[in-house]
């Protein structure tokens, strides 16, 4: 080999080493991000398990955990209220650090505004260009607009049962959004389980009340019959 060939060969080896090092670095970073997602889902499972018997506590603790884990600044959970078949709407059941001016009312009509539209369409929304009058994050330094907002539908059997809105100064990467998507499925399943349990409890209580009323009526009828028989005698 002449000097030129040796130098060219060295450049080739050096380039391959740099490429290999960059590839290993990316693989390591991806591994760390995937581990972050896995750890977050495991911790959320613990939160859900610890509060699976109380609806309000489950919603509150889940939202609080997600905001902290994502290092976001604000969040709110809106659950579908179906108490009245003719008046279905979204109700803010818990929030973290929301500006009071944003939600004078805790009620969102289905199809109204961005939240109501996301409910109808059932697809997540990620906004980088946040309207100036949409929301503000209040801190010790004053008020400022968030750099991004995501609204995630919580689905059970392809039906939207709730919406999660999160505002942050730092933009979410795809790993964070994937984490949120999976987390929302877990929370949705827990919400449905609790609501079903609550409905079953209410039906059981009504059934027991009706049974007691029937027993009372039967006892009253029995006493009336005895009095009638006594009168006849």
């Amino acid at each position: 080999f002449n000097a030129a060939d040796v130098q060219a060969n060295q450049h080739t080896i050096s380039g391959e080493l740099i490429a290999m090092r960059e590839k290993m670095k990316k693989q390591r970073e991806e591994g760390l991000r995937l581990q972050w997602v896995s750890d977050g889902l495991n911790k959320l499972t613990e939160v859900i398990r610890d509060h699976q018997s109380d609806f309000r506590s489950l919603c509150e603790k889940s939202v609080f955990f997600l905001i902290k884990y994502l290092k976001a600044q604000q969040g709110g959970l809106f659950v579908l209220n179906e108490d009245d078949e003719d008046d279905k709407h979204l109700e803010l059941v818990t929030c973290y650090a929301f500006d009071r001016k944003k939600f004078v009312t805790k009620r969102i009509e289905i199809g109204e505004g961005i939240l109501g539209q996301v409910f109808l369409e059932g697809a997540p929304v990620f906004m980088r260009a946040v309207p100036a009058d949409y929301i503000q994050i209040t801190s010790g330094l004053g008020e400022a607009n968030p750099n991004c907002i995501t609204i995630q539908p919580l689905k059970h059997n392809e039906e939207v049962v709730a919406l999660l809105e999160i505002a942050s100064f730092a933009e979410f990467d795809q790993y964070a959004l994937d984490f949120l998507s999976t987390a929302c499925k877990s929370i949705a399943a827990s919400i449905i389980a609790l609501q079903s349990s609550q409905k079953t409890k209410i039906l059981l209580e009504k059934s027991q009340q009706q049974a007691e009323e029937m027993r009372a009526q039967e006892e009253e009828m029995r006493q009336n019959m005895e009095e009638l028989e006594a009168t006849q005698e």
Side-chain angles (χ1 to χ4, degrees), residues 63-74:
V63 169
F64 180 81
F65 168 75
L66 291 176
I67 296 298
K68 290 297 184 182
Y69 199 72
L70 291 166
K71 296 181 180 178
Q73 279 67 48
Q74 292 180 342

Side-chain angles (χ1 to χ4, degrees), residues 74-87:
Q74 292 180 342
L77 183 66
F78 305 79
V79 177
L80 177 64
N81 187 319
E82 298 181 286
D83 293 343
D84 185 347
E85 281 294 322
D86 297 325
D87 186 31

Side-chain angles (χ1 to χ4, degrees), residues 196-208:
S196 298
S197 176
Q198 185 65 23
K199 288 178 181 178
T200 301
K201 181 181 178 182
I202 292 173
L203 289 174
L204 181 60
E205 289 174 351
K206 285 184 178 179
S207 177
Q208 291 175 340

Side-chain angles (χ1 to χ4, degrees), residues 27-140:
Q27 289 176 339
R28 184 166 61 252
E29 289 175 351
E30 183 177 5
L32 290 173
R33 297 299 286 161
L34 291 173
Q35 186 62 49
W36 176 85
V37 171
S38 178
D39 290 345
L41 293 175
N42 289 335
K43 290 177 181 177
L44 176 63
T45 299
E46 293 178 7
V47 172
I48 292 173
R49 185 175 60 244
D50 291 342
H51 302 278
Q52 60 185 348
S53 60
D54 185 278
F55 176 75
R56 292 283 175 177
S57 180
L58 170 71
C59 294
E60 179 183 332
K61 298 300 182 181
S62 296
V63 169
F64 180 81
F65 168 75
L66 291 176
I67 296 298
K68 290 297 184 182
Y69 199 72
L70 291 166
K71 296 181 180 178
Q73 279 67 48
Q74 292 180 342
L77 183 66
F78 305 79
V79 177
L80 177 64
N81 187 319
E82 298 181 286
D83 293 343
D84 185 347
E85 281 294 322
D86 297 325
D87 186 31
K88 293 182 180 180
H89 60 276
L90 293 166
E91 180 184 359
L92 177 65
V93 296
T94 187
C95 64
Y96 178 82
F98 262 144
D99 186 352
R100 290 181 182 178
K101 290 182 291 185
K102 177 171 171 56
F103 292 108
V104 177
T105 175
K106 294 183 178 181
R107 176 186 175 116
I108 300 293
E109 302 299 333
I110 294 174
E112 181 182 279
I114 298 176
L115 284 164
Q117 204 59 40
V118 171
F119 178 86
L120 286 180
E121 297 175 2
V125 166
F126 183 64
M127 295 188 293
R128 287 190 178 91
V130 181
D133 59 347
Y134 183 76
I135 189 176
Q136 285 191 321
I137 295 175
T138 304
S139 68

